[in-house]
Amino acid sequence: YGTMVHMTSFRVDPKDPTPLYAQLERAIRTAIAIGRLQPGAQLPTVRQLAVDLHVNANTVARVYAALERTEVVETQRGVGTFVRATPPASVVSENRERDLDRIISRFIPEFAALGFTIDDVITRLQRRTK
């Protein structure tokens, strides 16, 4: 297995309205998606990451458990938690869908608050992608 990830690789912002566990999960998933976290990389221990980020250890444990359930990481008792070599295609697809839903759920209230309709947005997006 690969090297240990530096704790400063992940950040959470207590002022952000997004729950800390969701921020941390997104940070880890993003690091994996963009290749900053390679397959086999060892994540910090729950306790170490909690201390480094100034969050409750239960928050970190919850994130690691969620990542393990979706087969993004694997934990080896007494050894550590590692990025899985190859997440299943269904997990990659599910993560992409979840990421898009997250973007949309932040985006809709913003354009609606400014008085734009979904049709306005679709028209503008189609124009921009041409």
Side-chain angles (χ1 to χ4, degrees):
Y1 279 91
T3 58
M4 174 79 102
V5 174
H6 293 290
M7 276 49 99
T8 55
S9 297
F10 308 119
R11 300 223 187 291
V12 292
D13 179 2
K15 295 176 189 143
D16 187 322
T18 305
L20 293 176
Y21 74 87
Q23 290 182 49
L24 181 56
E25 184 177 352
R26 181 175 60 223
I28 294 171
R29 287 179 183 278
T30 299
I32 293 168
I34 65 173
R36 199 173 83 226
L37 266 182
Q38 294 293 316
Q42 183 176 5
L43 297 176
T45 65
V46 167
R47 188 173 328 178
Q48 184 59 55
L49 191 53
V51 167
D52 191 61
L53 296 177
H54 308 291
V55 299
N56 189 300
N58 291 331
T59 300
V60 178
R62 179 179 177 187
V63 170
Y64 280 17
L67 292 170
E68 192 159 13
R69 268 194 314 278
T70 57
E71 300 182 40
V72 173
V73 301
E74 59 187 334
T75 299
Q76 297 176 6
R77 274 191 194 274
V79 181
T81 302
F82 300 87
V83 176
R84 285 182 62 97
T86 52
S90 62
V91 170
V92 172
S93 175
E94 184 180 302
N95 290 345
R96 288 178 50 80
E97 292 293 323
R98 187 180 307 121
D99 289 342
L100 184 56
D101 285 341
R102 216 180 344 255
I103 291 167
I104 290 169
S105 65
R106 288 193 310 254
F107 181 58
I108 290 173
E110 285 187 42
F111 75 71
L114 295 172
F116 293 105
T117 66
I118 190 71
D119 290 332
D120 296 333
V121 174
I122 290 170
T123 300
R124 182 62 58 96
L125 286 171
Q126 287 173 333
R127 233 186 282 149
R128 285 198 101 170
T129 57
K130 287 181 182 175

